[in-house]
Amino acid sequence: MLAAVLHAAGGPDAFRLEDAPVPNVGADDVLVRVKACGVSYRDVVERNGTYKRDVTFPLIIGLEIAGVVERVGDLVTALKPGDRVCSKAFSSCGDCRYCRTGRETTCLRRKPVRGGYAEYVALPQDAFVTIPETLSFEAACSLGPGAGVALNAVRDTANVQIGETVLVTGATGGVGLPSVQIAKIAGARVIAVTRSAEKADMLRRAGADDVIVSSGDFSGEVRAITNGEGADVVIDTIGSRVFDAAFNSLALHGRYAFVGQLFGENIAINPARIFFKRAQLLGVGSVSRAQLMDVVALAAAGKIKPEIAKVMPLREIAEAHRLVEGAAVHGRVVVVP
Ligand SMILES: [Zn+2]
């Protein structure tokens, strides 16, 4: 089968297009014929050597997978050949104390999903959920690591309520844009922060009530449009570089959900600011099967719309990585084997 293989960490040209063997299918695995694979930022940091968890070479990466089940192992019960599926970002064991208490994204035996940059991939059945005929593979492939994580952040971690105000940083990003859409569905007033003015219309179409274009401290603008009160919830997909502005934008009793950390810097805060504000600082994990099933249903109903910037052949994987690493596109880049 055709595969883009990494033999060592490196730049976008580190991929070698090779004829690789179709992977073995273990008893708990499903073999999926890949129809589309999103290029995520985790792919970029796995390729360039920043992300090292379970990374050994040679390696086929690509975690935003959608395709058709070709074959299943003897112990697989949830899926059958012919099923259309999309993937979550990690597979979980289903048995540990976290899996048994609805917290599978912290599963002690979780394994990263990888292998989508190829014609076939074999992964544990836990990694996949089914998708309906009405959902394209290109739209479905990034639902787990994108909208699924946004659903986890907005609904299940920050617990957004009708009538609350939600501030989303990095609002045009892979998790940011679905966070805007989902916070709107949840009945919130949504304030989106972006650095680029030309993306404001896209954010309003996604459901943002207010768009703040800023690359500096935006807390004054947030206070101005919320009668001085600030936002009840912050969904922060950027991390340290916007923390001061975003925390200053948080209302009394506000919840601050950390979803991403794009830069390496630490944050510094006087603990008194946290308790004077009665703030809650929340860490958001990956996506569970139940959350992925829910976003698949929301996407099938047209309530969340993945923004696809470009669909490219797998043979152009180096160019696809250049586009994603350089943030040169608005929306997802998808490769097709
Ligand atoms: Zn587990």
Side-chain angles (χ1 to χ4, degrees), residues 27-60:
D28 188 49
D29 291 345
V30 295
L31 182 71
V32 168
R33 176 186 277 271
V34 179
K35 295 288 193 180
C37 186
V39 177
S40 76
Y41 209 78
R42 196 181 98 193
D43 295 345
V44 171
V45 293
E46 286 181 351
R47 186 212 74 220
N48 69 22
T50 308
Y51 185 104
K52 295 186 171 68
R53 185 188 173 96
D54 296 321
V55 170
T56 52
F57 298 102
L59 184 68
I60 303 173

Side-chain angles (χ1 to χ4, degrees), residues 63-140:
L63 70 128
E64 299 185 347
I65 302 163
V68 178
V69 175
E70 183 90 4
R71 195 146 41 93
V72 301
D74 292 340
L75 298 179
V76 172
T77 51
L79 297 166
K80 59 183 186 312
D83 282 347
R84 295 159 51 90
V85 294
C86 69
S87 67
K88 52 180 192 170
F90 293 87
S91 63
S92 309
C93 76
D95 270 330
C96 71
R97 60 188 297 247
Y98 295 101
C99 284
R100 290 290 192 186
T101 49
R103 299 177 290 180
E104 74 194 55
T105 64
T106 33
C107 172
L108 299 172
R109 290 190 285 267
R110 72 187 183 278
K111 296 196 189 92
V113 165
R114 288 194 187 108
Y117 293 178
E119 286 179 278
Y120 292 93
V121 61
L123 288 163
Q125 59 176 330
D126 178 78
F128 292 107
V129 306
T130 57
I131 57 173
E133 290 284 340
T134 50
L135 205 55
S136 73
F137 295 113
E138 290 83 358

